[in-house]
Structures are given as C-alpha cells and as structure tokens.
Amino acid sequence: MQTVRDLNDLRAAVAAFRADGARVALVPTMGALHAGHVALVEAAKRPGTKVVASIFVNPKQFGPNEDLARYPRREAADSRMLVEAGCDLLWLPPVEAMYPEGFATSIGVAGVSEGLDGAARPGHFDGVATVVAKLFNQVTPDAAYFGEKDFQQLAVIRRMVADLDFGLEIVGVPTQRDDDGLALSSRNIYLDDEQRAKAVALPRALGVAARAIGRGDDAETALGDAQNSLLAAGFVVDYVALVDAETLAPAPPADRPRRLLAAARMGQTRLIDNIAIDAD
Ligand code: PAF
C-alpha cells in the first residue's frame, strides 16, 4: 500500500491507477479503524478496482465542546489494518493542506441534515459535507463507501452528490456489530467496562421497537418504550426517531422505507445506532 500526504502525489497515484484501466473506490475515514472500516474496504474491493482510503480527523465536523482533541489517532495501527484489508493507497492529508489560511467555503445540505444529529450537533453536517466534497474532488473516485451506522451522514452525502452532480456511486455498507449487538464505533473505546456492558441496551431497544413497529404496533408507544429502556440502562437520550429512510422526514407512512434512529449518551460518550423497519 502506497501512503501519500501531498495532493500532487495523490493525483499522480490515482492517474497511474486510471492509466492501468482501474476503477477507483474511496473509503473516507477519520482513522481509529475497526472491523466496520475493514468491511468498507472489503465492500470496495472488486476485480479491476483500486481502493483508496483516506484518514483525516476533520476539525470542521466537531463542535466546540466535542472530542476533537481526544479523538483517537493511531496512524501506524490503522495503516497495518488497511494493508491487511487489501487497500491500495492511503491518503493522509495534513490539516494545513485541507484548510489553508483563507479557506472560506462551507457546503450546507438543507432538509436532510437539519433534524436529529443536525439539531444536536450544529454545524456537524456542514463540516462533513465540506470535507467529503473536498475528498471527492481530490481523489475523483468512481464510487465511495460509507457505513450505514452514520445513517444521517449517508443520507446527507447522497443528497449532496445528487444535487452537485458529483457523478459517483455512493454505497452504504451495513453496520458491523460486536457479538452482543453494539454497533462498532471508534468512540466505543471511551466506554469503561461497566458502561460498555450497559451500552448493549441501545441496539436491544432499537431492535424491540423496530419489530413492534414492523408488525403494526403503535409507533409512539414503541418509541416511548425504547426511550424508557435506554433511560433505565443509564443513557441520557438525545432522540429516538422513526423517519423516512431517504428523506429522514418524521412520521413516514408505512408504505415508505422506514428507519429507526437513536442517539444517546453513556457518561461522556455519545453513541448512535439505527435499524431498518421491516414490515411483517
Ligand atoms: O464517517 C466518518 O468517519 C467521517 O464523518 C467522514 C465521512 C470520514 C468525514 O470526515
């Protein structure tokens, strides 16, 4: 795996892939890689495709009271994981190159980025959309892979790509989970043993509510029950919401694809998860 930190070197490496007739797939990450990221690389790997992963802890998507400074940075371990996963190129842009003095552009995706995490984390999705647009322009991939765990992020990126004619395929990859069901996240390492044991309440509460809603039970009651299970497990709940899986609009009719999303804090650690509603 080649590692590049300079935009000219990145462009030269991608041009060499294309000169060989390869398709280029991008896996954007903030590092602290886990099996969820490996699943993205594996999904991206296809015959005739070169996989580019990026690692950039993007300051623009962290709020002033969020964990930018303590966000885990593990370049050597990440790099080893990417080699093992079969990644072809690692793009590691320095922050001064991404946001040089005078950088003034921000991409805002209205609607889909406004509720849920967008309401709880003002500016977060503008930061995500801006950095992802830059990564797309830098790498010029044919396809890019994102985890469904960040379901709203995926919806925001799909909207941006459609609106701005990026002309690449966005692929959502199912959430990878620990044996007990907790969604893999770089932030899980913040949980101590007791918090980690309690955190399983999040996927369990979503699973119970999704099954209830899928079989036609009252959605408000199911959402209330999920909220209560989370509170009982020691979470502070940001939201538990039933939304349209494409637009993320609330109160979707049952004939639309629907998704149940939740965000809740265990101590200082904010966890998110989501699950599809499958009609019985
Ligand atoms: O999901 C992430 O790790 C980040 O939000 C992303 C897409 C790499 C943008 O910084």
Side-chain angles (χ1 to χ4, degrees), residues 234-251:
F235 274 107
V236 174
V237 180
D238 273 0
Y239 60 79
V240 180
L242 176 64
V243 298
D244 183 292
E246 277 163 31
T247 63
L248 304 195

Side-chain angles (χ1 to χ4, degrees), residues 166-205:
F166 271 102
L168 77 160
E169 185 192 357
I170 299 298
V171 183
V173 177
T175 303
Q176 304 295 304
R177 298 180 179 278
D178 269 341
D179 289 344
D180 65 356
L182 184 69
L184 298 189
S185 164
S186 304
R187 291 190 165 98
N188 290 355
I189 58 161
Y190 299 149
L191 300 169
D192 64 27
D193 289 349
E194 196 186 332
Q195 291 173 326
R196 172 64 190 79
K198 291 176 177 170
V200 69
L202 180 56
R204 285 199 185 140

Side-chain angles (χ1 to χ4, degrees), residues 41-205:
V41 174
E42 302 212 313
K45 258 189 338 191
R46 303 221 200 111
T49 295
K50 294 288 186 187
V51 180
V52 180
S54 61
I55 298 180
F56 180 63
V57 182
N58 173 31
K60 290 198 184 293
Q61 69 187 76
F62 288 79
N65 299 316
E66 293 185 354
D67 55 344
L68 173 62
R70 69 177 187 135
Y71 197 82
R73 287 158 170 90
R74 300 191 287 216
E75 197 183 302
D78 288 349
S79 183
R80 280 194 298 275
M81 276 180 92
L82 290 169
V83 170
E84 264 171 47
C87 180
D88 297 288
L89 177 67
L90 172 56
W91 169 222
L92 275 174
V95 69
E96 315 75 51
M98 289 299 263
Y99 300 124
E101 186 72 25
F103 186 92
T105 299
S106 177
I107 297 185
V109 183
V112 71
S113 74
E114 282 166 12
L116 307 167
D117 266 25
R121 306 181 65 189
H124 169 69
F125 287 119
D126 293 2
V128 170
T130 303
V131 82
V132 169
K134 277 183 72 86
L135 291 166
F136 288 170
N137 284 333
Q138 292 166 343
V139 179
T140 62
D142 300 286
Y145 290 71
F146 296 88
E148 285 186 343
K149 200 210 86 189
D150 295 289
F151 198 79
Q152 189 173 12
Q153 166 172 285
L154 181 57
V156 168
I157 291 165
R158 284 191 197 283
R159 185 75 255 164
M160 175 184 79
V161 164
D163 289 353
L164 298 184
D165 305 316
F166 271 102
L168 77 160
E169 185 192 357
I170 299 298
V171 183
V173 177
T175 303
Q176 304 295 304
R177 298 180 179 278
D178 269 341
D179 289 344
D180 65 356
L182 184 69
L184 298 189
S185 164
S186 304
R187 291 190 165 98
N188 290 355
I189 58 161
Y190 299 149
L191 300 169
D192 64 27
D193 289 349
E194 196 186 332
Q195 291 173 326
R196 172 64 190 79
K198 291 176 177 170
V200 69
L202 180 56
R204 285 199 185 140

